[in-house]
Structures are given as C-alpha cells and as structure tokens.
Amino acid sequence: MDDGSKLMLHHYPGPSAEAKRGTVLYVHGATFPAELSVGFKFDNWSWADDLQSAGFDVWALDFAGFGGS
C-alpha cells in the first residue's frame, strides 16, 4: 500500500571511487533528524565530515515524521 509517506536519505559524498574506503549508513535511534546528529557541525566540522575525510561515503536516514521524512 502506498500511503504517500516518504523517507529522507541524506548523502554526504566521499572521495572518488579510487580513494573510497567504504560506505557508512548512519541509522540513529532517536527522534530527531540526521542533520542534528551525524550532520551537526561543531566548529564547522561534523561527524559526517570526519567520516568523509577518512575516505567514506556517508548516508543517513531520517525516520518517518522527523527531519525531511
């Protein structure tokens, strides 16, 4: 059944394919969007930024009813 619900999947692209170490899917267990967890910047730097700089492609999910979902 399609009730029109949408889930938001944020993408923080990592390095080029040659330099990529892997992919991270961040699924948090709280009631707030990914932008306020893995994407939240302290001193202009987030955990997603740190993972990207370490060579990872980062994806983060907003649960239904939160953030862009």
Side-chain angles (χ1 to χ4, degrees), residues 9 21 23 35 59 65:
L9 187 61
R21 291 180 55 197
T23 301
E35 290 296 314
W59 295 84

Side-chain angles (χ1 to χ4, degrees), residues 6-49:
K6 304 282 187 221
L7 292 179
M8 179 67 177
L9 187 61
H10 299 268
H11 184 219
Y12 304 89
S16 65
E18 307 84 49
K20 189 186 299 188
R21 291 180 55 197
T23 301
V24 172
L25 174 60
Y26 180 79
V27 180
H28 57 90
T31 55
F32 51 89
E35 290 296 314
L36 295 177
S37 52
V38 71
F40 190 79
K41 294 189 182 275
F42 294 93
D43 294 328
N44 207 32
W45 194 255
S46 70
W47 189 20
D49 294 329

